[in-house]
């Protein structure tokens, strides 16, 4: 089970700070510059009273964090989950800063979240909560200031409600205030698949560098939402064998490979992977320890920790999720020779196409899907090569290489702007 705990090992924000220090040391950043870019610029905490369908008022807590805006407006998703904490949102905002810099798009890092269980809420309750949350964070957001997007358990519909709430306040339609919107409201073709597609391009690049044929490679996917299920579909279409997949309710396995299109239909029909015909039920722990070429954690933070990392038998770990591997697990994976594609590179396809969406909204001119995918591939392959080069030349692991690239670019931007004393 993935749980939020308060130990140093699994507090996501402590992990983000620890990884920052490693990269800052490797870059030899001086202490003044570290103080400028390590911590969030703004942390807003809001109270969201919502009248539930029963008539009772329930108060939810929400956050919006802007970590760093030296390279452009803050950019980052909004998460609805029972385990959302301010530390988690701070960690996710920090990673967004480095991620936007790794793929070299002109955004800083932000993130939002509401501590709630959207699975137990009606559509009406979700809409009321979303609109109230949007009003509460309204002073921070805007197309030139901070642009939210979907994350865990938030959808294009949630983005549409935020766009509408913001637009009503301004008195005219403002499409560029959020990305990941429905196509009918200025969303971009290819955005829904972008996180998984970007992850797929980094997997293909890794396989080619490691001499692993993609066709026939064995794949395991943890998490079967936007990132995980679409990554599974792309990898299945490329001829890999997706042996196992899981969601928050079940894990399923077939040694000859799952029929992924059928599994997607089963999840759509029943809301769960449970009971999928033609597959055996396994435990979440068994899933992570399956022998495979490619393991894709695509759920939440702290999936692979000091406790379970020794059982991992994958050759490549592609972090579609943010923060799925803890620093202690990183060290063990490096000893085992596992090749890790770090989150701030692996899942950066989402924010890259969010950037394309924002550019299209601001210019009122929309691109076709092939254009979006071709531009995404170019950015992902170039970014992979940039990180891989640092990994090879500096003889550091891929996470440190990606952090050095991202943090180095943010530090340089701060210096050039004169934000540096
Ligand atoms: P989602 O809400 O679409 O899906 C989340 C999935 O994770 C669901 O299938 C859920 O059942 C599963 N899950 C939850 N707890 C689990 C557990 N304990 N074990 C196994 N599965 C579990 O969310 P998403 O957008 O796919 O986000 C997944 C991850 O990808 C997150 O870490 C998110 O921050 C990251 N990410 C998403 C985007 C994006 O554009 N959506 C972009 C970058 C990174």
């Amino acid at each position: 089970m993935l749980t939020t705990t308060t130990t140093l090992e699994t507090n996501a924000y402590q992990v983000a700070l620890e990884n920052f220090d490693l990269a800052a040391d490797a870059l030899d950043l001086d202490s003044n510059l570290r103080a400028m870019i390590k911590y969030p610029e703004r942390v807003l905490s809001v109270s969201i009273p919502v009248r539930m369908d029963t008539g009772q008022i329930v108060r939810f807590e929400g956050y919006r964090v802007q970590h760093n805006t030296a390279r452009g407006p803050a950019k980052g998703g909004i998460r609805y989950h029972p385990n959302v904490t301010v530390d988690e949102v701070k960690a996710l905002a920090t990673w967004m800063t480095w991620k936007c810099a790794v793929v070299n798009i002109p955004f800083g890092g932000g993130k939002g979240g509401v501590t709630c269980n959207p699975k137990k809420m009606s559509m009406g309750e979700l809409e009321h909560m979303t609109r109230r949350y949007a009003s509460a964070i309204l002073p921070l957001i805007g197309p030139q200031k901070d642009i939210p997007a979907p994350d865990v358990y938030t959808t294009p519909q949630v983005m549409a409600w935020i766009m509408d709430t913001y637009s009503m306040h301004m008195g005219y339609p403002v499409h560029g205030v959020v990305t990941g919107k429905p196509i009918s409201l200025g969303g971009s073709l290819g955005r829904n698949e972008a996180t998984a597609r970007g992850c797929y391009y980094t997997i293909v690049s890794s396989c080619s560098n490691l001499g692993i044929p993609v066709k026939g490679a064995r794949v395991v996917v943890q998490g079967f939402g936007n990132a995980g299920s679409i990554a599974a579909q792309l990898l299945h279409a490329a001829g890999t064998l997706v042996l196992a997949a899981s969601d928050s309710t079940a894990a399923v396995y077939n040694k000859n490979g799952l029929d992924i299109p059928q599994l997607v239909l089963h999840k759509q029909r029943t809301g769960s992977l449970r009971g999928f015909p033609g597959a055996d039920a396994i435990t979440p722990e068994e899933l992570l320890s399956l022998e495979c070429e490619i393991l894709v954690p695509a759920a939440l933070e702290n999936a692979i920790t000091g406790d379970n990392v020794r059982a991992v038998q994958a050759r490549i770990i592609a972090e579609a999720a943010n923060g799925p591997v803890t620093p202690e697990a990183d060290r063990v994976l490096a000893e085992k020779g596992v090749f890790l594609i770090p989150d701030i590179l692996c899942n950066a396809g989402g924010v890259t196409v969010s950037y394309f969406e924002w550019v299209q909204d601001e210019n009122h001119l929309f691109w076709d899907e092939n254009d979006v995918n071709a531009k995404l591939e170019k950015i992902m392959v170039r970014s992979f090569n940039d990180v891989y080069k640092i990994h090879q030349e500096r003889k550091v692991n891929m996470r440190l290489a990606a952090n050095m690239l991202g943090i180095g670019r943010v530090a340089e931007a701060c210096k050039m702007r004169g934000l540096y004393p």
Side-chain angles (χ1 to χ4, degrees):
M1 280 295 290
L2 305 179
T3 51
T4 302
T5 66
T6 49
T7 63
L8 184 69
E9 162 88 347
T10 52
N11 178 306
Y13 187 50
Q14 294 303 328
V15 171
L17 295 178
E18 193 176 326
N19 281 327
F20 172 86
D21 288 336
L22 289 174
D25 289 347
L27 289 165
D28 211 13
L29 285 190
D30 73 58
S31 56
N32 292 333
L33 202 40
R34 287 179 199 224
M36 291 287 306
I37 65 175
K38 184 170 177 178
Y39 302 102
E41 287 172 9
R42 286 194 184 88
V43 180
L44 176 66
S45 170
V46 297
S47 194
I48 313 162
V50 178
R51 187 178 297 283
M52 307 302 275
D53 293 347
T54 56
Q56 187 201 4
I57 302 271
V58 173
R59 190 186 79 89
F60 296 94
E61 283 189 18
Y63 310 96
R64 185 74 194 170
V65 174
Q66 295 175 347
H67 174 261
N68 187 287
T69 54
R71 300 179 80 254
K75 185 85 192 78
I78 292 171
R79 177 173 293 192
Y80 288 172
H81 194 276
N83 292 347
V84 164
T85 61
V86 70
D87 269 6
E88 181 185 57
V89 181
K90 281 159 74 176
L92 291 163
T94 307
W95 291 326
M96 284 306 297
T97 303
W98 318 141
K99 187 185 303 183
C100 292
V102 164
V103 285
N104 216 359
I105 58 176
F107 285 136
K111 203 81 184 188
V114 179
T115 314
C116 65
N117 188 348
K119 289 184 178 172
K120 295 207 166 136
M121 294 168 73
S122 69
M123 280 297 269
E125 290 168 342
L126 269 179
E127 178 173 356
H128 295 149
M129 186 186 78
T130 299
R131 289 184 180 281
R132 189 80 191 201
Y133 170 66
S135 303
I137 64 167
L138 208 123
L140 289 198
I141 63 174
Q144 313 306 331
K145 297 197 292 188
D146 182 353
I147 306 127
D151 190 74
V152 174
Y153 299 153
T154 50
T155 58
Q157 175 63 79
V158 171
M159 297 304 115
W161 290 327
I162 297 175
M163 179 258 165
D164 183 61
T165 306
Y166 186 86
S167 298
M168 284 195 300
H169 177 84
M170 300 304 283
Y172 53 89
V174 187
H175 293 105
V177 65
V178 281
T179 58
K181 297 181 294 297
I183 302 296
S184 57
L185 273 181
S188 176
L189 293 168
R191 172 62 185 91
N192 193 46
E193 301 78 20
T195 302
R197 192 173 286 281
C199 166
Y200 170 75
Y201 293 138
T202 64
I203 290 173
V204 172
S205 293
S206 304
C207 285
S208 120
N209 279 291
L210 299 175
I212 298 173
V214 173
K215 201 166 163 47
R218 294 164 300 171
V219 175
V220 170
V221 180
Q222 183 205 45
F224 212 68
N226 174 277
S229 74
I230 300 175
Q233 289 173 73
L234 291 169
L235 287 161
H236 176 81
T240 68
L241 285 183
V242 183
L243 301 183
S246 65
D247 64 9
S248 60
T249 62
V252 293
Y253 168 69
N254 183 329
K255 68 175 180 346
N256 299 316
L258 296 163
D259 183 338
I260 293 298
Q262 285 302 318
L263 188 62
V264 169
L265 285 175
H266 178 82
K267 170 98 181 166
Q268 277 166 4
R269 266 198 309 266
T270 67
S272 160
L273 298 185
R274 189 186 300 280
F276 178 61
D280 298 322
I282 55 173
T283 65
E285 293 74 28
E286 285 169 333
L287 176 125
L288 289 174
S289 63
L290 287 171
E291 194 183 323
C292 62
E293 277 68 49
I294 303 156
L295 171 61
V296 185
L300 296 170
E301 299 90 66
N302 305 325
I304 301 171
T305 67
D307 292 338
N308 61 9
V309 64
R310 283 171 185 82
V312 169
Q313 298 194 68
R315 289 187 65 190
I316 296 174
I317 294 185
E319 292 187 320
N322 286 306
V325 178
T326 64
E328 187 188 347
D330 263 348
R331 289 187 277 277
V332 177
L333 291 174
E335 279 161 30
K336 284 163 72 110
V338 178
F339 185 82
L340 182 114
I341 316 172
D343 47 8
I344 62 170
L345 169 66
C346 188
N347 67 37
V351 74
T352 301
V353 178
S354 274
Y355 163 55
F356 298 161
E357 180 173 331
W358 177 79
V359 169
Q360 292 170 80
D361 287 337
E362 291 292 279
N363 289 286
H364 311 284
L365 184 64
F366 289 85
W367 314 343
D368 68 34
E369 193 166 351
N370 289 339
D371 272 356
V372 170
N373 290 345
K375 286 185 169 71
L376 172 63
E377 181 171 10
K378 198 169 158 194
I379 289 183
M380 292 308 298
V381 171
R382 183 193 67 204
S383 306
F384 179 90
N385 290 338
D386 288 347
V387 173
Y388 193 75
K389 190 161 175 250
I390 298 173
H391 159 67
Q392 296 264 294
E393 289 182 1
R394 296 287 306 264
K395 301 198 180 348
V396 294
N397 68 41
M398 285 287 284
R399 183 172 328 276
L400 183 51
N403 280 324
M404 286 169 70
L405 180 63
I407 291 168
R409 282 182 174 155
V410 175
E412 176 66 15
C414 280
K415 261 198 224 168
M416 295 308 290
R417 280 185 60 169
L419 297 176
Y420 176 54

